[in-house]
Amino acid sequence: MILREGTKNALVKTLQEGLAYLGYHPGPIDGHFGGLTEDAVEAFQKKSKIYVDGVVGPSTAAMLNSALGSPKTELHLRLNPPEEEVKDTAKKLKWVRCPADKFQNRGGFTRTTLRSDTAAAYKALYKEAHELGGIITSAGGRRGLSSKASPARSKKSMHYVGRAFDMALPTGMQNPDTDPYLIEKAWGRKWTVWCKTNNPEIPKQTIEASYVVTKRNSKGKRYTIIKTKEITARVFNFTALAERHGFKSISARRSFFKGGAYGGAEWWHFQWEEGLEPKNTTFGEELLKVYTLQKASNFVYWSEAKNCKWKVNWF
């Protein structure tokens, strides 16, 4: 089970009691996972140096239980998925290096590595983006099994299974006048990524582009301010184009809109979700499509992530 904003049950009340005992402020102890509870969860995750998303799944629950210790076992959360046999596959998908673009001196790579089925979809996306006069920058795709999670990295990231690519972070939200991508607020915590082009067949549009300014408070701590600027340019909707090829964007982290680090914006992340069956496909099965069981079982998060199911406790 996953506890997140909007959940209402006895487990949420236990979560709130545990957070309050540890000195966090989850709001009323009423079993309703609201904004204050999410804030408290994010604060706990940040302090614990685990992925900050305001959602309580097996990993966050385990850290909470450890922090509460034996004196408060009645407040422990048991959210681990049932232990099931993970289906292995004899034939493994191959890793494929795909082309990517560097923009001026904004960093990034000239390739991104994805598993073969995702790579085929990415190459079709790349081709169409270039036909429209755009580019796809890269901050990488495949993430090695030795790479550990962090406040900005999930233990069940699509990068581990080869289904996700990140565009270069400095190519958007820096200076809308010169960035190759314009990042526009969509709905909730989602963005629409617009790609600039010189293609005369693409009409000009006026986009309210978001960008970040980093400042320091009186104690010297850095924080982020989000500003907007109207930009008129020839652009095409990269987010919509990516979705037509099976790549979905993800939401920004809530903390980003409260002065959190730029890494929480997440506008650059796209993941290929074709073939994933909600409540059925497990993270372990996807990992075994590219790795042997022996290699996958050496993954530091294998035991806690392998049985997590898509759209249940893996997103």
Side-chain angles (χ1 to χ4, degrees):
M1 180 171 231
I2 288 283
L3 307 180
R4 61 195 311 158
E5 188 172 22
T7 306
K8 297 180 183 180
N9 58 33
L11 285 173
V12 173
K13 187 175 181 182
T14 301
L15 166 67
Q16 292 169 330
E17 290 171 344
L19 288 167
Y21 176 80
L22 293 172
Y24 298 92
H25 305 285
I29 311 297
D30 57 3
H32 179 200
F33 199 126
L36 292 175
T37 300
E38 187 175 48
D39 288 344
V41 169
E42 286 189 354
F44 173 80
Q45 290 171 327
K46 185 175 181 180
K47 186 174 181 181
S48 302
K49 297 182 179 180
I50 58 176
Y51 186 56
V52 179
D53 60 359
V55 175
V56 180
S59 299
T60 299
M63 292 297 293
L64 274 166
N65 294 345
S66 177
L68 289 165
S70 55
K72 284 291 179 179
T73 54
E74 72 275 12
L75 297 182
H76 285 197
L77 293 169
R78 292 166 179 81
L79 302 182
N80 287 332
E83 187 73 21
E84 298 177 6
E85 182 183 0
V86 181
K87 301 173 186 175
D88 198 357
T89 56
K91 190 175 181 180
K92 305 297 179 182
L93 296 171
K94 294 181 179 180
W95 292 104
V96 178
R97 288 186 175 184
C98 303
D101 307 298
K102 295 194 77 169
F103 180 78
Q104 297 177 356
N105 60 346
R106 303 286 188 97
F109 308 107
T110 57
R111 65 177 184 270
T112 187
T113 302
L114 302 165
R115 68 190 218 185
S116 54
D117 54 357
T118 307
Y122 172 88
K123 287 180 177 179
L125 167 63
Y126 184 85
K127 180 175 182 291
E128 189 168 355
H130 271 251
E131 288 171 349
L132 293 170
I135 61 173
I136 301 182
T137 60
S138 171
R142 175 187 185 181
R143 183 171 297 161
L145 298 185
S146 61
S147 297
K148 292 188 176 181
S150 70
R153 289 183 170 186
S154 168
K155 295 178 180 180
K156 301 183 289 290
S157 170
M158 287 285 204
H159 289 290
Y160 287 123
V161 298
R163 279 180 169 264
F165 70 89
D166 288 340
M167 296 195 287
L169 279 64
T171 53
M173 270 194 172
Q174 305 304 301
N175 181 346
D177 289 309
T178 59
D179 292 343
Y181 302 111
L182 298 178
I183 316 303
E184 184 178 40
K185 188 77 160 52
W187 50 272
R189 301 200 298 270
K190 290 276 194 175
W191 307 105
T192 298
V193 179
W194 298 89
C195 184
K196 290 180 181 176
T197 175
N198 291 321
N199 187 337
E201 296 182 3
I202 304 295
K204 288 186 176 181
Q205 297 189 60
T206 299
I207 306 297
E208 188 175 354
S210 296
Y211 65 101
V212 294
V213 176
T214 302
K215 296 195 172 184
R216 293 184 183 271
N217 61 20
S218 58
K219 296 182 179 180
K221 186 177 180 181
R222 298 174 67 180
Y223 65 95
T224 300
I225 296 176
I226 306 170
K227 294 189 174 184
T228 62
K229 181 177 183 179
E230 286 193 350
I231 299 291
T232 300
R234 297 187 189 279
V235 291
F236 62 88
N237 189 330
F238 181 84
T239 301
L241 179 65
E243 188 154 352
R244 288 202 298 274
H245 289 274
F247 290 94
K248 302 287 184 68
S249 62
I250 62 173
S251 297
R253 294 199 287 278
R254 197 166 180 265
S255 58
F256 174 66
F257 297 101
K258 297 181 292 184
Y262 176 55
E266 297 284 10
W267 65 263
W268 48 80
H269 180 97
F270 289 85
Q271 55 192 40
W272 195 64
E273 299 182 2
E274 295 295 305
L276 297 177
E277 299 179 22
K279 302 182 181 180
N280 188 33
T281 303
T282 66
F283 184 82
E285 289 170 16
E286 287 298 303
L287 207 59
L288 288 175
K289 288 182 178 178
V290 285
Y291 293 107
T292 63
L293 180 58
Q294 181 179 3
K295 188 167 255 188
S297 60
N298 289 328
F299 177 43
V300 66
Y301 308 118
W302 174 252
S303 59
E304 62 181 284
K306 64 180 180 179
N307 290 128
C308 290
K309 294 187 176 181
W310 180 241
K311 296 298 184 184
V312 177
N313 40 25
W314 169 35
F315 296 86

